[in-house]
Amino acid sequence: MPQALAEDTLYRNAPAILLRAPDGATATVLLHGGHVVSWTPAGGQERLYMSELAQVTPGKAMRGGVPVIFPQFSDRGPLPKHGFARTLVWEKTAARTGDDYAMASLCLKDSEATRAIWPHAFTLELSVGVTSHRLDLELEVCNLGDSALSFTTALHTYLKVKEVEEVQLEGLNGHMYTDCMKNKVQRTDTGVFLAIDQETDRVYHDVKRPLLMRESHSALGINAENMPDVIVWNPWETGIKNFSDMPPKDFRRMLCIEAGAVETPVTLEPGASWWGRQTLVAM
Ligand code: TA6
């Protein structure tokens, strides 16, 4: 069996880390944004959507993969939409391989630029682990300052799908959600599964069970720890017109199923830390 590797590479001409487990499972993470741009489980196909029009541009986010949203989800505060972590360059802090896995950690620290708009000393670390059919993404935030800080955060995961209208997302039944397409009205999900047949932008609150995304020939298990909210987003043909970095027909090829701590901000006292994780399992 080939050896696991975790090595520096280029992705669309930008510095990245390629992880490969001995069984052939791979993941690629960019230093720009600490952005996971590709995941292929062992013996399988690419499972993350990445727009063919997306480029690595300083100060801009990539359309696809897993943007790291921190310290502000969406426009829920005064910062740029979805915060600044996805548009800054992170530093590689660790890369390791084992008998059946490869992993890397990347870190973003406060800088003059972040302190100018968010006056806190912090570290944000992303650890990415790939093994067999599983991808683990873990965020850790430490408050290095001498006053409390609060943030909202999400792993804005773009899943690649064959045809979004055929997807059945199970596990949200009975949960409250904020419908961002309908003036943020709160509703309860009553369907056995969620199907996407129109522009969809929902924040499900306090989801305690794993989700299952079914497609005709495959399925994906999605679990989150310490990230209680699930955001489901598809721009549909109505919303995709607003995105110049995505081919118009690609709304059919993707579905964002995001793990977040969004509804209730996380507050950290000086010296305290927080972690949250999203795990994807291909079936
Ligand atoms: O997480 C869903 C969402 O907040 C949507 O409202 C939609 O705008 C999407 O993120 C993409 O945001 P972006 O800033 O990447 O264009």
Side-chain angles (χ1 to χ4, degrees), residues 118-134:
W118 199 62
H120 299 287
F122 70 91
T123 55
L124 170 64
E125 187 173 65
L126 173 73
S127 296
V128 181
V130 65
T131 177
S132 178
H133 295 93
R134 174 176 170 142

Side-chain angles (χ1 to χ4, degrees), residues 49 159-167 196-198 215 234-237 240 246-255:
Y49 168 81
L159 298 171
K160 181 172 182 171
V161 299
K162 281 211 164 65
E163 169 51 63
V164 75
E165 277 187 275
E166 286 170 13
V167 168
I196 306 294
D197 57 5
Q198 59 185 310
E215 293 189 81
N234 180 284
W236 207 250
E237 57 192 340
I240 204 165
M246 217 173 160
K249 289 196 176 124
D250 272 18
F251 74 91
R252 297 199 168 280
R253 305 280 96 83
M254 53 73 65
L255 180 61

Side-chain angles (χ1 to χ4, degrees), residues 63 73-74 81-82 86 156 158 201 231 233 243 258:
R63 178 74 57 202
F73 179 75
S74 188
K81 188 177 174 204
H82 284 325
R86 64 179 181 160
H156 197 302
Y158 284 73
D201 192 356
I231 301 96
W233 177 61
F243 300 111
E258 310 164 32

